[in-house]
Amino acid sequence: MFKIGDKIVYPMHGAGTIDSIEKKEFLGEVKDYFILKMPIGDMDISIPTSKINEMNIRDVITKEEGDEVLKILDDEPSDMSNNWTVRYRQNQEILKTGDIFEIAKMVRNLAILDNDKGLSTTEKKLLNRSRRILASELVMAGSLKKEEAEAMIDESIGL
C-alpha cells in the first residue's frame, strides 16, 4: 500500500506525490482518499484508497529507467495504423495502461508523424497530453523542473 510522500503514477494523468490522506463523503458514503499533488498542471487528484489496486497505479520509474525512456524517444518510429481513428483508440488504450515505455513510443511515433504529415486536432491533443504525462514522470524520476523535462523530450524527438 502507498503512503504519504510516495511518488506514484496515475494513468491518464501522470506522476505525482501523495500529499495526504483525507476522509471525504461521496454519495453519503465516507471513504479515505489519497490526495495526489501533480508537478505539472498545478492540480490535486483524489484517489479512493480502496480502489488503488484496480487503477494501474504504480511507483514512479527510476532515474535509470528515465534514461531508457529518453533512448526510446531517440529510436526510429514503429509501425502504426494509417487510419487515425484506429491509431487514436490504440493510443488511448496505451495511456490507460500507464506503461511509460509504451507511452514514450507513442509520443515518438506521433511526433514524427506530425512532422511528416501532420496530425488531426484530436491526435495533436493526445500528443500534447501524452507529452505532459511523460514529462511529469521524468520530473518525478530525475528531480527535474518541468521545463527541463519538456526540453529533454523535445530534443529526443527532434522538435
Side-chain angles (χ1 to χ4, degrees), residues 41-150:
D42 194 34
M43 68 175 168
D44 295 346
I45 297 175
S46 298
I47 306 169
T49 59
S50 61
K51 301 274 186 191
I52 203 93
N53 293 327
E54 302 166 21
M55 302 173 91
N56 288 336
I57 292 177
R58 61 174 174 75
D59 290 316
V60 168
I61 58 174
T62 63
K63 187 170 182 339
E64 292 74 27
E65 289 168 321
D67 292 340
E68 200 174 315
V69 165
L70 294 174
K71 286 178 189 167
I72 289 170
L73 292 171
D74 280 331
D75 284 345
E76 294 295 315
S78 48
D79 290 334
M80 295 183 298
S81 173
N82 289 325
N83 182 320
W84 81 266
T85 56
V86 170
R87 195 171 52 235
Y88 180 78
R89 281 195 305 271
Q90 290 169 337
N91 289 332
Q92 283 286 88
E93 289 304 312
I94 289 170
L95 280 181
K96 287 179 187 175
T97 69
D99 184 327
I100 194 70
F101 303 109
E102 291 302 313
I103 292 171
K105 290 176 190 174
M106 176 182 55
V107 166
R108 175 199 63 212
N109 291 345
L110 288 176
I112 291 169
L113 187 59
D114 190 30
N115 284 340
D116 292 348
K117 299 179 183 177
L119 294 174
S120 69
T121 303
T122 305
E123 278 193 302
K124 277 189 189 258
K125 287 180 184 175
L126 177 68
L127 174 58
N128 289 333
R129 185 170 163 210
S130 301
R131 284 177 66 231
R132 274 194 319 274
I133 289 170
L134 199 57
S136 73
E137 190 152 5
L138 290 174
V139 165
M140 301 300 289
S143 301
L144 302 172
K145 292 181 180 165
K146 172 189 170 204
E147 296 77 20
E148 293 171 321
E150 289 173 342

